[in-house]
Structure formats: structure tokens, C-alpha cells
Amino acid sequence: MHQFLRYLIAQAYNNAWANHRLLRACAALSQEEFELATRTSFFPSIKMTLNHNLTVDWFYIDAMERAARGDEPHPDYCAAFFEPEEPFATCAALWVAQKACDQRLIAYCLQLDEAMLARDVGILRDDGLKLDTPARLLAHLFQHQIHHRGQVHAMLSGTGIEPPQLDEFYSRGESGERAPDFAELGFTEADVWGA
């Protein structure tokens, strides 16, 4: 397999693993800490930030899946993905939805090949149809997730819940540290890195 394709697969697994660790920590918060406590960040609560990450995932993953099937872009993305702006009131419900979304992203990356990487993905926006490559959209999506997970990580520092380590994924020597999480997620090192 081409190294770049393997890298995208690893990034999709990393995304799911980091979301799992972060949401497990957030699930230990009270509902008030999760939803109502004002935090210093782009979005003023942990609930708002995590819902935003998920709805943006839905938007881009849907576009890439549609392109892979040869379907047209979603005709009403606002209603489909961003109304309501915060679809999940509790961390438990959000965690289930994020995990399902992360699995879709992994499945999408696993099916990628050179031909798919060369095809444009269409996204309807307020100002018309936008075309971009899967590689650019995936890079954007991974960075978007990292950006907002970092904000939630910082917000957790203002609670009684210790923010989880999110940056120990790639090193071979740290495989033992991620093994319990991988077992919970049903991942293996071979899934992530290939045989």
C-alpha cells in the first residue's frame, strides 16, 4: 500500500483513539460541568465544542462518502448536519455518536486508493459548489479535530478531571500504553499500521 494511504488510515485511527480518550474523561464530568460551566475557549462550553467537532465531521465525511459512491453533494447540508447546532445534550449520547462517526471515517480511509484520491469531492456551500480532493479534506478534518480537542483538553484542566494524554500514539515503544484503549476500541496495531 502506498505510504500516504497508510498515513491517512493511521490518522483516522488516531482520530478515533484520541476522541475515545477525551470523551471518556469528559464522561466523568457532571452534567453541569459538561454543559453549563462557562469555559475560556472559542466555544464557551465543553458541550458546545464537542458537538461542533461532531457536526463538522458529519458534514465532511458525508461529502467524501457521497463522492466515493458517485452521488451528488448533499442538497441541504445546513438542515442535515447543523440544525440543531448542538444535537447532543449529554456526553454519553455524544460519545456514542462520535464513535459511530469515527468508524465511518476509518472505513472511508480504508477504501481509499490512488484513483479515489484523484477524484474531486463536491460540497455545496452558501456561495455555490466547492470542489476539493479527499487528501485536502482529510487533512482539514484531522486538523479541525486536533484543534478543538486541544481546546477541550485545556478546558478540562479547569475541572477536577485530569485531561488525558492525547499525544502518545505513534511511537512503537508506547504500544503498551495504548493497548488498553485499543482493546476497548477493538483496534490492533496491525489495523493501524498494516501487516
Side-chain angles (χ1 to χ4, degrees):
M1 175 178 283
H2 188 277
Q3 280 298 107
F4 182 62
L5 293 172
R6 177 47 61 188
Y7 176 76
L8 293 174
I9 292 166
Q11 285 291 80
Y13 276 105
N14 178 48
N15 183 69
W17 173 80
N19 283 333
H20 176 76
R21 289 182 62 86
L22 186 63
L23 286 161
R24 182 174 54 209
C26 289
L29 296 168
S30 69
Q31 184 62 26
E32 181 177 351
E33 289 176 306
F34 175 72
E35 180 178 13
L36 301 175
T38 301
R39 311 286 176 192
T40 301
S41 192
F42 185 82
F43 295 99
S45 75
I46 291 172
K47 175 189 168 217
M48 289 178 76
T49 306
L50 291 173
N51 270 281
H52 170 73
N53 245 8
L54 178 59
T55 58
V56 169
D57 276 4
W58 284 344
F59 172 67
Y60 283 107
I61 294 169
D62 175 77
M64 291 184 289
E65 289 172 337
R66 283 172 180 272
R69 293 190 305 263
D71 295 345
E72 294 295 316
H74 199 290
D76 190 4
Y77 71 90
C78 283
F81 307 117
F82 301 112
E83 294 171 9
E85 193 173 349
E86 297 173 48
F88 297 99
T90 66
C91 187
L94 192 144
W95 192 0
V96 169
Q98 184 67 65
K99 183 174 182 177
C101 191
D102 294 342
Q103 290 298 322
R104 285 174 58 199
L105 185 57
I106 290 168
Y108 174 79
C109 288
L110 285 169
Q111 71 172 342
L112 281 173
D113 58 24
E114 296 291 338
M116 285 177 69
L117 282 177
R119 283 196 300 257
D120 279 334
V121 174
I123 300 173
L124 284 178
R125 304 301 290 254
D126 291 342
D127 57 348
L129 178 67
K130 305 295 181 188
L131 298 175
D132 223 324
T133 65
R136 285 178 180 260
L137 292 176
L138 286 167
H140 170 73
L141 193 58
F142 294 140
Q143 182 58 35
H144 181 265
Q145 276 277 353
I146 291 166
H147 171 68
H148 288 298
R149 275 196 302 262
Q151 291 174 343
V152 174
H153 192 273
M155 288 189 270
L156 277 175
S157 298
T159 73
I161 304 301
E162 183 177 349
Q165 193 76 32
L166 298 178
D167 61 347
E168 293 184 356
F169 181 78
Y170 293 112
S171 301
R172 264 191 199 136
E174 293 163 345
S175 61
E177 294 176 37
R178 62 185 172 261
D181 291 330
F182 274 28
E184 287 177 21
L185 290 163
F187 298 169
T188 67
E189 293 288 320
D191 291 335
V192 179
W193 305 111

